[in-house]
Amino acid sequence: MRDDWVIAFTCLWMGCAAMNSAGQQEPALKDVFKKDFLMGAAINESHITESAGASCEVALIKKHFNTISPENVLKWESIHPAPDRYNFGPGDRYVDFGVKNGMFIIGHNLIWHLQTPAWVFQDEQGTPLNRDALLLRMHDHIFSVVSRYKGKIGGWDVVNEAVNEDGTLRPSPWLKIIGEDYVLKAFQFAHQADPNAQLYYNDFSLEDAPKRAGAIALIKKLQAQGAPLAGIGLQGHYRVDWPPLLDVDETIEAFARLGLKVMITELDVSVLPAVTSRLDAQVSQNYRLRAEDNPYTNGLPDAAQQALAARYAGLFKLFVKHRDQITRVTFWGVTDANSWLNDWPVRGRTDYPFLFDRQCRPKPAFQGVIAAGRK
Ligand code: GLA
């Protein structure tokens, strides 16, 4: 009760700067880890425009993070919705937000199989494009978007999620129409458009050995072909009980051995029961929710809260151990209220994946992370 009063008072007078029960300001994540790696969050349009309803989240972003990623505004369907129409407004505002706040700005993403309109792969009659026509379209998109933010966006996720669970290449329209070298081409185009931007390959579940082996094979091939690849993004969509820390450890080591910067790019830790083993955003949204799938609608019980805190502490101890290899840790959101996990893989659940609760208050997981950072 006392904590609630302190926080309510602080929110009123200081825009929700969180204080602990001793009335002290919470330390900023970016300060605690400043000698280790950048700390980031993916932000959405209400953050970018600093809308009134998002004021406490915006305060958290400014206080705790020194790098930002765009949750959606730079994805193909948002920034290039029709063949001859770009929608740069939201992207421009995102980049301005980062510049204004002195943050390292990430571009996410250029080439992906999701959130990419169907027209990208077809001509005006709806006939599938051939290799040359799709390469030209890829080139024009990458040049238009990367050039616009040249010198401002410091790192781009060039290709997102090209590898299947078994390590083979995902049979996306990019692969089917262009062939395996679509990945190389995307990196080459992005490098031509901004030679100073860091270019990354980004994917999920690389902690699973077969998928990791496939990504390593892909990257070795790209490196042999001279691709301008600076880093690997481990998305980090984790669960309290998956993946084992040992697998995260091995994964970081394996990619660092390839000479890549390693980044945790989309960190969140789901506490809800797994309703599917697939971690692909295409999973059906028609699943009928059962009560046992959504057990924490009235708050997270203390045992689960502590388990989440221990999980986060374990992850950050590991990240700090690899501080020479990890350059950035970015959460895929800010507070529990704005996580995609509340609606994925099924809609309408109440998840608790972050360090800040729905009222922007630091959770025990926040304290676990801070403790892991204080050596
Ligand atoms: C993937 C993508 C992100 C985002 C998340 C879920 O990990 O890379 O852009 O869509 O899924 O929200």
Side-chain angles (χ1 to χ4, degrees):
M1 194 60 185
R2 199 177 144 238
D3 276 5
D4 288 350
W5 277 105
V6 170
I7 289 158
F9 182 78
T10 312
C11 283
L12 269 177
W13 292 101
M14 299 177 66
C16 261
M19 285 189 164
N20 60 26
S21 54
Q24 296 153 342
Q25 282 275 334
E26 298 289 358
L29 291 167
K30 67 184 179 198
D31 294 337
V32 173
F33 293 95
K34 69 171 179 291
K35 295 201 176 124
D36 304 315
F37 31 71
L38 296 176
M39 289 291 294
I43 66 173
N44 63 35
E45 286 207 68
S46 65
H47 304 140
I48 295 164
T49 54
E50 306 200 27
S51 80
S55 63
C56 80
E57 296 198 344
V58 172
L60 290 178
I61 294 164
K62 291 181 179 173
K63 170 170 176 170
H64 289 285
F65 302 113
N66 47 19
T67 171
I68 46 169
S69 298
E71 194 172 351
N72 286 304
V73 297
L74 294 186
K75 289 176 178 168
W76 193 310
E77 69 178 9
S78 310
I79 201 163
H80 190 178
D84 48 6
R85 188 161 63 83
Y86 282 88
N87 172 35
F88 285 123
D92 291 357
R93 288 190 283 278
Y94 161 73
V95 170
D96 287 348
F97 181 96
V99 169
K100 202 170 72 190
N101 292 292
M103 294 162 160
F104 186 74
I105 306 170
I106 297 295
H108 171 87
N109 57 56
L110 295 170
I111 299 298
W112 193 23
H113 62 290
L114 297 178
Q115 295 184 261
T116 303
W119 64 258
V120 172
F121 307 103
Q122 300 165 355
D123 66 15
E124 279 165 18
Q125 285 70 48
T127 311
L129 293 185
N130 63 25
R131 170 181 160 91
D132 287 347
L134 186 56
L135 274 174
L136 188 63
R137 190 158 270 174
M138 175 197 267
H139 173 275
D140 290 351
H141 175 82
I142 291 180
F143 262 74
S144 304
V145 177
V146 174
S147 312
R148 186 170 184 94
Y149 303 118
K150 189 174 173 178
K152 292 184 175 166
I153 287 190
W156 272 101
D157 290 335
V158 177
V159 176
N160 201 33
E161 305 180 349
V163 179
N164 284 319
E165 303 309 89
D166 66 0
T168 56
L169 284 184
R170 185 187 291 280
S172 67
W174 297 110
L175 179 73
K176 287 189 193 153
I177 298 175
I178 297 176
E180 278 192 39
D181 64 343
Y182 87 87
V183 182
L184 174 65
K185 294 286 184 196
F187 277 93
Q188 289 172 336
F189 295 156
H191 185 63
Q192 287 160 14
D194 184 355
N196 293 323
Q198 295 176 11
L199 305 182
Y200 315 131
Y201 175 70
N202 190 53
D203 211 332
F204 63 89
S205 295
L206 295 173
E207 295 77 8
D208 285 342
K211 183 161 184 175
R212 179 161 77 236
I216 288 173
L218 172 68
I219 286 165
K220 283 187 168 167
K221 199 165 171 186
L222 288 168
Q223 290 177 324
Q225 292 165 321
L229 175 66
I232 177 87
L234 311 179
Q235 289 186 1
H237 293 300
Y238 294 153
R239 312 183 50 75
V240 170
D241 57 359
W242 179 90
L245 285 181
L246 203 59
D247 293 352
V248 181
D249 195 34
E250 276 178 20
T251 306
I252 294 166
E253 290 281 357
F255 287 107
R257 273 199 298 274
L258 299 178
L260 298 177
K261 296 177 197 301
V262 179
M263 285 150 290
I264 314 299
T265 53
E266 305 186 14
L267 184 60
D268 45 27
V269 178
S270 178
V271 301
L272 295 181
V275 291
T276 170
S277 57
R278 290 187 57 215
L279 262 179
D280 183 308
Q282 265 172 333
V283 164
S284 167
Q285 294 281 308
N286 300 325
Y287 180 87
R288 265 192 51 231
L289 201 58
R290 299 169 308 178
E292 62 264 38
D293 295 330
N294 193 20
Y296 306 132
T297 48
N298 293 322
L300 195 59
D302 193 51
Q305 195 77 263
Q306 296 309 326
L308 181 69
R311 174 65 162 159
Y312 262 116
L315 284 167
F316 272 81
K317 272 187 202 141
L318 186 62
F319 298 158
V320 169
K321 179 181 125 185
H322 289 289
R323 51 186 287 211
D324 293 340
Q325 295 149 337
I326 293 180
T327 55
R328 168 167 68 93
V329 177
T330 295
F331 293 88
W332 202 247
V334 183
T335 74
D336 290 343
N338 79 325
S339 168
W340 70 302
L341 291 168
N342 294 315
D343 288 305
W344 188 91
V346 289
R347 288 190 196 282
R349 297 204 294 176
T350 308
D351 209 340
Y352 299 81
F354 293 130
L355 308 185
F356 301 101
D357 71 13
R358 286 172 165 73
Q359 284 74 43
C360 294
R361 296 174 300 198
K363 295 156 59 177
F366 175 86
Q367 311 303 343
V369 166
I370 295 293
R374 285 196 167 135
K375 295 156 279 267

